Amino acid sequence: MKNVLLIASEAVPFIKTGGLADVAGSLPKYFDKTKFDVRVMIPKYTCIPWEYREKMVYKTHFYIDLAWRTQYVGVFELEWNGVTFYFIDNEFYFGGNKPYSWIHEDIEKFAFFSKAALSALPVLGFRPDIIHCNDWQTGLIPVYLKERFSQGEFYQGIKSIMTIHNLKFQGIWDLKKVKDITGLPDEYFTSDKLEAYDDANYLKGGIVYADRVTTVSETYAEEIKTPFYGENLDGLMRARSNVLSGIVNGIDTDLLDPETDTHIPYHFSVDDLSGKAKDKAALQERLGLPVREDVPVIGMVSRLTDQKGFDLVVNELHNILQHDVQIVLLGTGYSDYENSFSWFAHAYPEKMSANITFNLELAQQIYAGCDIFLMPSAFEPCGLSQMMSMRYGTLPVVSEVGGLRDTVEPYNPVTGSGTGFSFGNFSGYWMVQTLEKALDVYENHAEAWKQLQHNAMTRDFSWDTASLAYVDLYKQLV
Ligand code: ADP
């Protein structure tokens, strides 16, 4: 039996702002429990809904030093779907109504979390063979592990993995301040360690000190070795290429199942799509759009940022809205995008619905009730939304980058194969061309559309398969 501790800043169902939470909350369920004891550790944010917090069981508390402060660390535990979750408690850092705040606060918050997480292990009596870190918030863990903890007998031989869910976010802050906060000695702040371009960089520390580095798709693992996608760390990624690999995410197919999903009004399956038509009508009705079966509904569920290609969408939206289509958007993010979409919804009330909010239930209703899912990302480490939409028979139109390239097979009109539509050249022109191709198949080739839906809904996006690559990785390490 091998012990693994997966540490992250968010995990479903407790707290979620993006795909990281889906991965941290669902992957651990899928390991063979006779071979791996995989547990998860996240902060005990006060914004975790009370229905979960009230069930958490107090385990222990102690104090650690951080900068000039001595800080309380509480540890709570909750078993959820057969997985043990630990929660690090400290309301000074994890209070407030959202998990992240300003970067300078987060820099100290996650230094605390990293040190507290490692310090808690002997107290909990859980010695992981592998600590699996995720994104910059946990980047200091491999560093601390090497620098101070590995001298203790308990920690000797513990391996670490750093998984990059998005290289754009690195946890960069003033070097002097980070030295002060972390208490790490000067020699850790050189350009081959934590320093990058005169600042301190948490993710870089994790990448340098982890035993293995992974990212969430094979294509992205290659892309980040190039200056275009490398976010200034492409040199480091090339230097670490001998320990770097890409493992495509899965999705929680138990929860995300059109036959049982409790968030959608009508259920359906690949053999009987009649429920999907009803979900479409229900979505149109809920959002105040004309209830019409024949009109193609294009959905988007996303953070509204440049990464997701929204400048292309906003630039082309007038153009797209000249077609007989309906567009449903759910997302929050940059205010420019929020305002633009709200404006279009106002200008085209019969065709466009902009929902500037975070709503998990509406997200599922969009995956289920739309015909097409638009996701023209400028870069995409993996992307989960396109897999979710395919699982619900909603065909994605995507750019061929990162995980989108690895998970969406473009339609081949000769063989009828494919699970969606994609374009290689990142431009508004090609996005519209590809969307029009999808609309043409939808409107004029019903049999081909059905076949594509069948292909998409039966493709294996489950963690049952995706987790096997992590099993291999864990086995190689211990
Ligand atoms: P990223 O992690 O880059 O934001 P992913 O596609 O990997 O993108 O994952 C996004 C996840 O967040 C999906 O589960 C998606 O459904 C969800 N999501 C994004 N925006 C919203 C929103 N406004 N309301 C509900 N869920 C959302």
Side-chain angles (χ1 to χ4, degrees), residues 297-300 308 312-313 320 371-377 385-387 389-390 394-400 404 408-411 419-423 427-440 442 449 452:
V297 182
I298 303 166
M300 289 177 271
K308 302 291 179 177
L312 304 192
V313 178
I320 297 168
D371 301 296
I372 293 171
F373 191 81
L374 182 59
M375 192 167 175
S377 303
S385 300
Q386 80 282 9
M387 290 192 258
S389 67
M390 285 186 273
T394 299
L395 301 183
V397 171
V398 302
S399 48
E400 284 165 16
L404 295 175
V408 178
E409 186 196 339
Y411 172 50
T419 60
F421 303 84
S422 63
F423 55 99
S427 68
Y429 175 80
W430 284 109
M431 179 187 73
V432 172
Q433 289 288 311
T434 310
L435 187 59
E436 285 174 350
K437 191 159 92 187
L439 292 172
D440 176 57
Y442 177 84
W449 190 266
L452 288 175

Side-chain angles (χ1 to χ4, degrees), residues 419-470:
T419 60
F421 303 84
S422 63
F423 55 99
N425 193 335
F426 185 70
S427 68
Y429 175 80
W430 284 109
M431 179 187 73
V432 172
Q433 289 288 311
T434 310
L435 187 59
E436 285 174 350
K437 191 159 92 187
L439 292 172
D440 176 57
V441 181
Y442 177 84
E443 281 154 9
N444 304 315
H445 306 278
E447 278 311 307
W449 190 266
K450 256 188 143 168
Q451 181 62 46
L452 288 175
Q453 283 183 306
H454 182 274
N455 300 347
M457 292 179 79
T458 51
R459 186 124 314 179
D460 183 4
F461 296 117
S462 73
W463 274 119
D464 288 323
T465 311
S467 65
L468 297 178
Y470 283 106

Side-chain angles (χ1 to χ4, degrees), residues 327-345:
I327 298 183
V328 172
L329 170 107
L330 170 64
T332 57
Y334 294 174
S335 53
D336 278 2
Y337 294 136
E338 294 186 348
N339 295 339
S340 297
F341 286 119
S342 300
W343 183 89
F344 278 106

